[in-house]
Amino acid sequence: MLLMLAFIYSLNYLDRQIVVILQEPIKADFGLADWELGLLTGGAFGLFYTAMGIPIAHVIDRGVNRVRLIAAFTATWSVMTALCGLTRNFAQFFGARMGVGLAEAGFAPAAHSLISDLYPPRERSAAAGLFAIGVPVGIMAGLSIGGIVAQATDWRTALLLAGAPGILIAIIFPLLAREPARGAMEDAAHAGRDGQPPPASFLQGLRILARRPAFVHVVAGSAAMAFAQTGIAAWMPSFLIRNHGMNLAQVGLSLGLLSGLCGATGTWVGGWQGTRLGRWGLHMALLLPIVGVLLCGPLYIAALLMPDGPSTLLMLIPAILLGALWTAPSIALTQSLAPVAMRARASAVYIVAANLIGVSMGPLVAGILSDWFAGLRGGNSAMGLRDAMMSLNVLFLLGAWHWTLAARSLRREAAALHHPSPGAEWK
């Protein structure tokens, strides 16, 4: 089940990220400015992804069959990705990308909820790490396949081919997967805390989650880091093409392999260390990710200042690896901090924040800044894009600050559980 979910997650990100490597030919074909290109890459997908994530998660928490739902969503986003290749103008492409975002909105909440019912709390960080490896694998496939196919044919063919695997897996998945019992993997202590009935309304559920400071800070920190990383990653292919003269195939293959291998390694290490260190308290699972976030910002700046493509790619290796350490612990924490009856919604809140601020705004803001900086540099779009990408790195500091506050809150909660004050109760 976990391996199948990770594979579907890779298809999720393949269809989501393939547009990144195709930005420059799409820009030339449709005659777009950078801000419009950023809207296609981020906003068109992220806005519908964000708008539908929580309502779909509310339905998931009410007992719908998650396996069948995942199959339906996978088929839908795959078809919509293929339709992107048939569009003839900006508006049509924008609409098709919104369809991709709508279909993908329900996958992660359903998958996170399934994983929580397949693994006990102490194993969730490692399981989330293996599941999250689908992200860098999907990015690697999207960039590599998209670049090679587009260089050999055109960007439309690349999108048509990208949609095919998802249709096949949507047929196979419900035949092999099973729907586990909800809450079956909770230990006695955790079950006692989650013994309340499901929240009566969506707003009541949000109020319950908002009363957990650690949950709020994990979500806020993740959103800030998603903003910086998504904005940089979305424009890195264009940066390498504009500033270092690399072609689509070179950028797709090199950046795809680098993002996939380093991202997968960082994600796995983050999940592994979260499980190991988390035995001494949930706050310990955040220490290594915080260090990684603080280091990857300066490394991204150094990469953008390198004189050629190969040296830029070399500097990106530690930046991408360290920047992936936080992914698995953040997923595991949002599930462990939420009641059983609210896990899909907790996942959706996390995903909505990360995507509304990160996926939707990161590429768009970078595109707006790129046009602005290019104007200041006399129309030099290459230097304008570099300046815009460098300015995003300040968000890493904000993310690390929120995660530090989350760790402190978790440590205080642990201390209160072991040494409760008179009349206090765990909430």
Side-chain angles (χ1 to χ4, degrees):
M1 281 284 289
L2 183 60
L3 290 174
M4 285 189 289
L5 289 171
F7 180 72
I8 296 175
Y9 207 15
S10 69
L11 295 180
N12 182 292
Y13 264 80
L14 187 157
D15 290 355
R16 185 187 309 189
Q17 291 292 310
I18 191 171
V19 176
V20 171
I21 191 62
L22 305 176
Q23 283 185 132
E24 292 300 297
I26 293 173
K27 175 185 172 76
D29 201 358
F30 291 158
L32 305 178
D34 276 355
W35 74 267
E36 292 175 303
L37 201 58
L39 191 60
L40 280 184
T41 305
F45 171 89
L47 289 176
F48 245 69
Y49 190 95
T50 299
M52 298 306 298
I54 292 180
I56 291 174
H58 186 76
V59 174
I60 294 171
D61 277 335
R62 294 297 177 181
V64 69
N65 186 293
R66 294 164 287 185
V67 170
R68 295 175 185 172
L69 193 67
I70 287 174
F73 281 137
T74 303
T76 304
W77 84 58
S78 301
V79 170
M80 297 305 297
T81 298
L83 288 178
C84 287
L86 302 176
T87 58
R88 288 293 178 265
N89 54 53
F90 174 84
Q92 291 177 0
F93 200 111
F94 189 92
R97 283 288 287 173
M98 289 177 68
V100 176
L102 170 63
E104 291 195 1
F107 169 69
H112 293 170
S113 179
L114 280 174
I115 291 171
S116 294
D117 289 332
L118 293 169
Y119 291 89
R122 64 183 179 277
E123 297 178 9
R124 279 184 195 141
S125 185
L130 181 55
F131 170 72
I133 285 177
V135 173
V137 171
I139 294 174
M140 176 174 64
L143 294 177
S144 302
I145 296 172
I148 293 172
V149 173
Q151 185 70 32
T153 56
D154 54 44
W155 64 268
R156 298 181 186 278
T157 303
L159 286 168
L160 289 170
L161 290 176
I167 298 173
L168 179 61
I169 195 65
I171 298 172
I172 297 174
F173 182 64
L175 300 178
L176 300 178
R178 64 179 177 87
E179 177 73 12
R182 296 180 184 244
M185 288 295 175
E186 301 310 307
D187 56 37
H190 197 272
R193 296 199 299 265
D194 288 343
Q196 74 268 26
S201 69
F202 166 69
L203 291 179
Q204 182 181 353
L206 286 184
R207 285 194 294 269
I208 292 173
L209 294 174
R211 287 200 294 266
R212 300 297 303 273
F215 180 88
V216 173
H217 285 300
V218 166
V219 170
S222 299
M225 290 182 285
F227 187 106
Q229 287 182 309
T230 304
I232 293 171
W235 287 99
M236 188 58 71
S238 294
F239 171 81
L240 292 170
I241 291 170
R242 296 183 193 180
N243 286 269
H244 301 308
M246 299 175 68
N247 62 39
L248 283 174
Q250 291 172 331
V251 172
L253 187 58
S254 58
L255 192 58
L257 289 173
L258 187 151
S259 299
L261 296 176
C262 295
T265 301
T267 301
W268 179 82
V269 171
W272 174 82
Q273 68 84 31
T275 296
R276 299 278 294 184
L277 298 181
R279 296 172 182 173
W280 286 274
L282 290 178
H283 66 283
M284 294 295 293
L286 297 177
L287 298 183
L288 187 59
I290 290 171
V291 174
V293 169
L294 290 173
L295 292 176
C296 70
L299 288 169
Y300 273 121
I301 293 175
L304 294 169
L305 294 174
M306 290 292 106
D308 53 55
S311 58
T312 297
L313 293 169
L314 185 64
M315 189 59 65
L316 285 175
I317 293 175
I320 294 174
L321 195 154
L322 292 170
L325 293 174
W326 64 273
T327 307
S330 67
I331 295 173
L333 281 172
T334 56
Q335 295 297 286
S336 294
L337 291 172
V340 170
M342 289 189 56
R343 283 190 174 147
R345 273 167 288 185
S347 174
V349 169
Y350 165 82
I351 292 167
V352 163
N355 282 276
L356 180 62
I357 298 174
V359 174
S360 298
M361 300 304 297
L364 176 59
V365 170
I368 294 171
L369 290 175
S370 176
D371 288 333
W372 183 64
F373 281 123
L376 296 179
R377 288 182 171 272
N380 189 329
S381 63
M383 289 295 97
L385 180 57
R386 188 196 69 176
D387 294 344
M389 294 171 69
M390 290 180 65
S391 66
L392 296 182
N393 283 274
V394 68
L395 273 299
F396 286 118
L397 297 176
L398 179 61
W401 177 70
H402 274 293
W403 272 47
T404 300
L405 294 179
R408 290 178 179 176
S409 178
L410 289 169
R411 188 170 61 245
R412 286 196 297 267
E413 285 187 4
L417 281 173
H418 287 90
H419 304 286
S421 58
E425 67 177 28
W426 196 94
K427 295 183 180 179

